[in-house]
Structure formats: C-alpha cells, structure tokens
Amino acid sequence: MLWAAAPLPIPSLFDPLSRPADEIYVLSLLVLGVCAAIFVVVGGLLAYAVVRFRQRPGDADREPPQVYGSNQIELAWTVLPLLIVFVLFLVTTRTLIAIENAEPPADALEVRVIGHQWWWEFRYPEQGVVTANELHVPAGRATFLTLESADVVHSFWVPQLNGKTDVIPNRVNRMWIEPREPGLYLGQCAEFCGTQHAKMFLRVIAHPEAEFAAWVAAQTGEAVNDPAVRAGRDIFQSVACVNCHRIGGTVGAGVFGPDLTHLMSRDTIAAGAAANTPEMLRAWIVNPDAIKPGALMPAMQLEPTDLDHLVAYLTTLK
C-alpha cells in the first residue's frame, strides 16, 4: 500500500530486554516446559495404547477384556492436574506481585500514558513534555508509567519490555519498564478498542542518558516559527485543526488529537499506520480514512494551494 510504513521485525517476548520482561520470560519457559511434559506423557500413553491394544486377527470373534475403574488411577489423574495448576498459579502470582509491587527508584522517570481511539498520548510531568505514539525513555534506567484512558478500554503492551497492562476509563493502572539497551522497541494496544484497534501501534525509543537529555531539551522548546511558511501557519490557525491539535506558540490548544509542536521529530503518523513524510502527511490530511478507516480525524477538504502551504508548515515542526 502507498501509505504503509516500512516493515519492521515482529517483537517477541522470548527476546526480553527489560527486568520485568525477564521475569515473564522465565515464567513462560516454566509453563511451556510443564505443558511439553504433559504433552509427551499423554502422547506417549496414547501411542502405547494404540499399539498395545490394536485389533489383531481373531479379535472380532471375541469381546475384549472389560477394564473397570481403578481408584488409584482415578485419584492420580485428579490430584496431579490440581497440583500442576496450583504450582503454576503460585509461581504466576509471585511473578506478577514482584513486577507490580516494585518501588520506583529515586532516579526513575515518570510518564503519564493516556490511551485514545486510536493513538497514545505521553506526558512527562517533570520535564513538561507532551508527545504522541513514540515513548522516549533513557536506557538502563527505570521508567514508571501511569496508564489512563480517555474513552474505552485499551491495553499497553511492549513484549520485550513488560507484559500487557489494561488501560481502563476512570481507573489508573501502573507498570514499569527498564530497557537495558538503546534502540527501538515495538508494541501496540492489545485490547480490542474499536475499528482501528489493529493500527494503534506504539514505539518505545530507548536513548543513552545524554541523548535522552538532548531529546527532552528539544521537545521543551517552542514550535519552529519560520517566516517562509507563515501562510501554512495561518491556515492551521484558521481552520478546524486548532479544535483538536496543539502547536506551542500558536492559538492551537486542542486536546482531542496529538500535540503537533514537534511533529517531524516522530518517525510515523496516525499511531504508526504511516511513515512521517510530506507525502503521507498530505495523504492523511486529504483523506484520513484511506490510511486509517474510521479515524476520528475529518478530511479537511482544503484547496490545493492551501494544502501545499499547510504541509510545508507542518514539515518544519521539528
């Protein structure tokens, strides 16, 4: 498709790169090991029964021996599954408690995450930064996330960093991540939240400490105000864009859509549904439904010249 972003590797919980994900990985290996052992035992007994008690010549002329219930066997196949389930329950509960009850260290980064249909809003209260769909964090340091929803139930999931945590209206949930290595970690909403649930992606970008500090400094600045694209800025302020979007230093102060102050610092638009290029920006403004059917952003229906000016202005917002 014209608007599709470049294909990316599929994230896997079997490649953990954060302490909470390590705990989940170890638990998953235990569960898989127990299930594999059960499969081998049951499959082996089934194969033995098929071979040992198969029909032989002359068997059709006589009734096979009748085997009646054994108290010992019935007790075993009742107690053993109960013990297995009980052990898995205890181990899973211990893992969940260890992850969820972790106390934030003194240098932990705090981020407020708000799920919307269908995008993610990230607010850094201590740094005064607001961004969307791409969560920037320092590598090697814990980041604690406060999870909220502005509309329906969502679920925040980055497999390499932690498990799934529901994002529920009128309720605050917490989770934390601690990426060991700088890099890009992919995730998405893991709870059906409407027509574009499948395109509610998110990216976590882990930076070295100095690089993260530089990103924060860049994000706290006002929007670029280039006189060469003043016409596009005027169009942004005179049409419906300002009702939903904010750009620092303009009259745009909307809260229903992503903050666009540093739009071009992001790799994607539409919550990861399209690459962040001038061509995709133009296509998104002209007809959001072509990229994300059911998107709440309306088609702006601008004149071609006005559209050119607006896209030229937006592409300066770095």
Side-chain angles (χ1 to χ4, degrees):
M1 296 181 184
L2 174 65
W3 53 81
L8 293 166
I10 298 174
S12 171
L13 64 86
F14 295 105
D15 183 24
L17 289 168
S18 177
R19 276 198 293 159
D22 289 337
E23 298 275 356
I24 295 171
Y25 172 69
V26 172
L27 175 62
S28 68
L29 291 184
L30 172 64
V31 173
L32 287 174
V34 170
C35 292
I38 294 172
F39 175 81
V40 170
V41 171
V42 173
L45 290 175
L46 179 61
Y48 170 78
V50 169
V51 174
R52 174 68 178 80
F53 300 104
R54 70 187 184 280
Q55 187 178 40
R56 293 178 172 82
D59 285 352
D61 301 330
R62 61 184 177 84
E63 185 178 3
Q66 302 301 299
V67 178
Y68 296 95
S70 165
N71 290 335
Q72 292 84 357
I73 292 176
E74 291 184 2
L75 183 64
W77 68 39
T78 300
V79 172
L80 284 177
L82 286 175
L83 288 176
I84 292 171
V85 171
F86 183 67
V87 169
L88 292 179
F89 171 79
L90 289 180
V91 175
T92 301
T93 302
R94 183 193 66 182
T95 301
L96 290 176
I97 292 175
I99 293 173
E100 293 180 1
N101 290 353
E103 291 295 328
D107 65 341
L109 176 67
E110 292 281 347
V111 180
R112 183 183 173 203
V113 180
I114 305 172
H116 299 261
Q117 289 180 306
W118 291 273
W119 60 283
W120 298 98
E121 180 179 3
F122 300 115
R123 292 180 171 269
Y124 299 70
E126 295 179 3
Q127 291 76 20
V129 172
V130 179
T131 186
N133 301 318
E134 296 181 2
L135 174 63
H136 292 255
V137 300
R141 179 152 63 102
T143 297
F144 276 71
L145 308 175
T146 300
L147 304 172
E148 306 170 39
S149 172
D151 36 54
V152 299
V153 177
H154 303 280
S155 183
F156 189 95
W157 186 36
V158 184
Q160 290 179 286
L161 301 181
N162 204 330
K164 302 173 183 177
T165 302
D166 283 345
V167 184
I168 303 172
N170 302 315
R171 178 182 174 86
V172 176
N173 284 338
R174 295 268 291 173
M175 70 178 298
W176 63 287
I177 58 176
E178 191 180 41
R180 286 193 292 272
E181 302 173 4
L184 172 64
Y185 301 88
L186 302 178
Q188 78 167 86
C189 178
E191 180 75 30
F192 181 73
C193 56
T195 56
Q196 284 306 307
H197 156 71
K199 289 185 179 178
M200 189 173 170
F201 303 111
L202 66 97
R203 293 171 169 230
V204 177
I205 298 96
H207 301 273
E209 198 69 46
E211 189 177 296
F212 175 72
W215 177 83
V216 170
Q219 293 291 310
T220 52
E222 286 293 335
V224 174
N225 187 9
D226 185 350
V229 291
R230 181 60 183 266
R233 176 178 167 138
D234 291 341
I235 291 168
F236 173 83
Q237 296 185 115
S238 63
V239 297
C241 303
V242 295
N243 295 331
C244 294
H245 296 286
R246 175 186 177 273
I247 294 180
T250 73
V251 299
V255 296
F256 299 108
D259 189 303
L260 304 181
T261 304
H262 301 286
L263 170 64
M264 297 311 293
S265 68
R266 304 167 196 162
D267 293 329
T268 65
I269 58 174
N276 190 5
T277 65
E279 296 76 20
M280 292 299 100
L281 270 176
R282 174 184 293 273
W284 177 247
I285 296 169
V286 169
N287 186 10
D289 270 0
I291 296 175
K292 206 165 184 173
L296 303 183
M297 176 173 164
M300 301 311 298
Q301 302 189 12
L302 298 174
E303 294 294 330
T305 303
D306 290 344
L307 179 62
D308 291 341
H309 288 315
L310 179 59
V311 172
Y313 169 61
L314 292 176
T315 56
T316 67
L317 302 177
K318 300 178 179 179

